[in-house]
Amino acid sequence: MYHAVAPDPAPATLGLSVTPEAFAAQMGVVAERGFTPLTTAALAAAWRTGGPLPARPLLVTFDDGYEGVHRYALPVLARHSFPSTVFVSTGWLPGRHETGGALDTMLDWAQVRELADAGTEIGGHSHTHPQLDQLDARALRFETLRCREIVGEELGTAPASFAYPYGYSSRRVRRTVREAGFTQALAVGNALARRRQGPYALERVTVRRSTGVEEFTRLVEGRAIARTFAADRALTKGYALARRARGAARGHWI
């Protein structure tokens, strides 16, 4: 799971960004280790139907829709012939659907179309990037449906895959995402995706500014993931308890 790819990102995105040089080196590791990237939709379809997967399948995903994905990541991916999935928060992208709130320079819709034309899967990441599990039913439906409608309007094809902003979801959120027409969704979890997680709670590992090439190699090989993200998991458990309490107080904890 990537976010911004930029040499000098905005402070708000710095920690979850990578430099263009780091991204190129990491994709070199993917190639050298014999992994075969595929889109989120392709992985989910294979697991859903029992179809074959390529050797050492791996997802390369980008959340939010930062401009550097087009400027810096796309040439590297094209050089390796790697597909990826970009999950866009439609209200953050400049243009007639913009709502404000973006943390850094975002893709414009012409760039999104160029990514799609290059074989990138464009997925949904809500409209305004809220914490979905804290919304009431009406706002939750709006965030998922509006996002899917806008992507479909701009690209001519509605997105099939979704990623939860901040990784937050619940049974209610997952059900709403499914009802909006998405056929699979990604969380965070900082663990390898497994079929048993189900199509609406597939997990990913986070790549950060601090992720060196040795750590990245361990992550894609599935080694020492629990130890690497031990602190994150402890925080996540605490956040989950607090979030459930807030949701219960608001009457939408299911």
Side-chain angles (χ1 to χ4, degrees):
M1 180 185 67
Y2 289 97
H3 288 78
V5 181
D8 187 24
T13 61
L14 179 62
L16 286 176
S17 70
V18 297
T19 65
E21 294 79 12
F23 182 76
Q26 290 159 3
M27 292 303 100
V29 170
V30 170
E32 291 162 6
R33 298 280 170 152
F35 288 94
T36 307
L38 69 167
T39 64
T40 302
L43 174 66
W47 275 349
R48 186 176 289 111
T49 64
L53 285 170
R56 309 199 81 186
L58 178 139
L59 299 186
V60 179
T61 70
F62 303 88
D63 283 7
D64 301 345
Y66 297 105
E67 189 269 344
V69 175
H70 180 277
R71 179 180 300 192
Y72 299 112
L74 180 58
V76 175
L77 294 166
R79 188 160 63 244
H80 291 290
S81 298
F82 286 169
S84 64
T85 306
V86 176
F87 295 99
V88 295
S89 293
T90 48
W92 281 12
L93 274 55
R96 59 197 177 99
H97 311 295
E98 186 175 4
T99 60
L103 302 179
D104 207 336
T105 304
M106 308 304 292
L107 296 163
D108 61 35
W109 285 104
Q111 292 171 318
V112 174
R113 284 188 282 273
E114 288 179 13
L115 284 161
D117 289 343
T120 303
E121 179 189 5
I122 306 301
H125 197 46
S126 79
H127 185 49
T128 66
H129 204 279
Q131 300 176 17
L132 295 178
D133 62 338
Q134 300 300 301
L135 301 181
D136 62 30
R138 182 176 179 179
L140 178 56
R141 284 195 300 271
F142 171 80
E143 286 289 337
T144 54
L145 282 169
R146 187 63 182 135
C147 173
R148 193 165 190 267
E149 289 169 354
I150 290 172
V151 176
E153 179 182 333
E154 292 287 346
L155 301 186
T157 304
S161 303
F162 189 86
Y164 306 108
Y166 309 102
Y168 300 148
S169 74
S170 65
R171 284 181 294 167
R172 184 176 64 97
V173 170
R174 293 189 288 274
R175 183 173 64 248
T176 304
V177 167
R178 183 178 67 249
E179 291 170 350
F182 294 98
T183 54
Q184 53 274 330
L186 299 182
V188 181
N190 287 316
L192 299 184
R194 302 292 188 191
R195 187 174 182 176
R196 64 176 178 270
Q197 293 161 1
Y200 291 94
L202 295 174
E203 298 188 343
R204 297 178 287 174
V205 294
T206 306
V207 184
R208 301 185 172 100
R209 198 80 170 183
S210 60
T211 304
V213 69
E214 291 185 2
E215 180 180 318
F216 180 85
T217 302
R218 291 196 302 271
L219 295 180
V220 295
E221 293 282 359
R223 293 185 282 112
I225 290 178
R227 183 171 71 247
T228 300
F229 294 105
D232 298 76
R233 291 184 175 189
L235 287 172
T236 297
K237 288 180 180 179
Y239 290 151
L241 291 172
R243 301 182 70 74
R244 280 198 293 271
R246 286 201 300 271
R250 294 171 181 174
H252 41 76
W253 65 92
I254 298 175

